[in-house]
């Protein structure tokens, strides 16, 4: 089955700094690459996604880059704010289901 | 357009009882997924259903767990004879199609077995 790994597992930054989270996957058939944000007591919320025919996508302070050859994609958050503090999950997939990574706990300190 | 609705939000059951978790997908969505999340862990896929069909149940435990998505009404995840290890947050997601598309999650049902 699909093996998904996220790094780092925890990340602590100062407000205004950038944060980068990397996700590696094993299934070469994966062609959809989303990132979800989960706040305490809530369900995961999609923040950005990319499909396999695109190398990079940006939405304001958030960007995702994909290297399909190396089977990894990364989440980039610039100008971090305290409200960015949450757990972030990558969930590469294709047909039928998303396989979630173990998550990265991001703490943004004022 | 209401999001994915799950109920109850919190459910307490004694060992040996049955737990029924409900999920109403977003309007127009015919694909439903159930995930389980243990504390401090990621979401583990359980089952994928379309209306009246189970498409992929590779993540479902072999015993005591079942899921359905009838033609009318919400999807139901049923856990019979619950044990303490079933305590977790159960999330439902829905999507409009099965390929390369956003899955919208509900707020989850937190099951506690005492």
């Amino acid at each position: 089955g699909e093996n998904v790994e996220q790094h780092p597992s925890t990340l602590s930054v100062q407000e205004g700094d950038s944060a980068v989270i990397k996700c590696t996957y094993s299934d070469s058939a994966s062609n959809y690459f989303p990132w979800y944000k989960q706040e305490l007591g809530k369900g995961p919320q999609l923040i950005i996604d990319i499909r396999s025919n695109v190398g990079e996508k940006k939405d304001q302070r958030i960007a995702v880059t994909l290297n399909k050859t190396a089977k990894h994609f990364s989440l980039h958050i610039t100008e971090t704010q305290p409200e960015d503090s949450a757990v972030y999950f990558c969930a590469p997939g294709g047909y039928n289901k998303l396989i979630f990574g173990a998550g990265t706990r991001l703490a943004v300190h004022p | 357009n209401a999001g994915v609705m799950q109920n109850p939000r919190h459910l307490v059951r004694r060992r040996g009882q049955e737990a029924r978790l409900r999920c109403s997908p977003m309007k127009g969505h015919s694909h439903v997924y159930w995930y389980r999340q243990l504390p401090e862990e990621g979401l583990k896929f359980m089952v994928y259903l379309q209306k009246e069909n189970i498409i992929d149940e590779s993540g479902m435990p072999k015993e005591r767990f079942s899921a359905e998505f009838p033609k009318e009404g919400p999807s139901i995840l049923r856990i019979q004879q619950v044990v303490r290890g079933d305590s977790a947050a159960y999330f439902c997601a829905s999507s409009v199609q099965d390929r390369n598309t956003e899955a919208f999650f509900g707020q989850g049902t937190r099951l506690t077995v005492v």
Side-chain angles (χ1 to χ4, degrees):
Chain A
E2 172 81 284
N3 184 36
V4 179
E5 293 187 0
Q6 276 183 242
H7 296 280
S9 56
T10 59
L11 182 57
S12 183
V13 300
Q14 290 296 124
E15 183 177 359
D17 288 349
S18 294
V20 181
I21 304 170
K22 185 176 178 179
C23 180
T24 60
Y25 60 95
S26 61
D27 188 354
S28 56
S30 295
N31 50 18
Y32 176 62
F33 307 93
W35 283 96
Y36 283 84
K37 175 183 181 182
Q38 187 177 29
E39 296 175 321
L40 192 63
K42 296 185 177 180
Q45 181 181 13
L46 180 77
I47 54 171
I48 196 165
D49 59 9
I50 196 169
R51 288 167 175 78
S52 57
N53 57 342
V54 178
E56 182 175 356
K57 182 177 177 181
K58 191 173 182 181
D59 182 4
Q60 299 182 355
R61 296 186 298 108
I62 295 172
V64 55
T65 57
L66 171 65
N67 184 329
K68 225 181 166 216
T69 303
K71 289 192 234 173
H72 66 73
F73 62 112
S74 297
L75 174 69
H76 305 255
I77 306 174
T78 58
E79 300 172 29
T80 53
Q81 301 168 2
E83 51 265 38
D84 294 329
S85 297
V87 180
Y88 291 82
F89 294 98
C90 64
Y95 183 65
N96 270 2
K97 57 182 178 277
L98 304 174
I99 304 298
F100 280 76
T104 296
R105 184 172 299 279
L106 173 64
V108 180
H109 301 284
Chain B
N1 185 9
V4 177
M5 303 300 293
Q6 289 189 248
N7 67 83
R9 290 293 309 277
H10 301 274
L11 181 62
V12 179
R13 284 288 177 266
R14 295 187 183 279
R15 281 179 294 172
Q17 290 184 321
E18 178 180 288
R20 281 184 177 242
L21 288 63
R22 295 175 186 77
C23 169
S24 296
M26 287 182 69
K27 187 176 181 181
H29 288 193
S30 59
H31 302 258
V32 166
Y33 313 80
W34 284 94
Y35 287 79
R36 176 164 63 177
Q37 185 177 36
L38 295 172
E40 305 298 319
E41 294 188 10
L43 287 83
K44 303 296 184 188
F45 169 78
M46 300 181 74
V47 63
Y48 161 47
L49 311 102
Q50 293 180 25
K51 285 283 187 181
E52 301 184 279
N53 287 304
I54 296 175
I55 306 302
D56 182 346
E57 56 181 349
S58 58
M60 286 280 271
K62 293 288 185 282
E63 298 177 346
R64 301 188 297 107
F65 284 71
S66 63
E68 63 176 10
F69 188 17
K71 186 176 180 181
E72 301 292 336
S75 175
I76 305 287
L77 179 67
R78 181 182 178 204
I79 311 172
Q80 295 179 288
Q81 300 174 338
V82 296
V83 301
R84 288 238 171 95
D86 297 332
S87 296
Y90 292 83
F91 289 96
C92 167
S94 73
S95 65
V96 68
Q97 63 184 43
D98 58 4
R99 297 175 186 265
N100 303 336
T101 188
E102 179 177 1
F104 293 83
F105 280 82
Q107 298 287 28
T109 293
R110 278 146 188 84
L111 172 66
T112 302
V113 180
V114 297

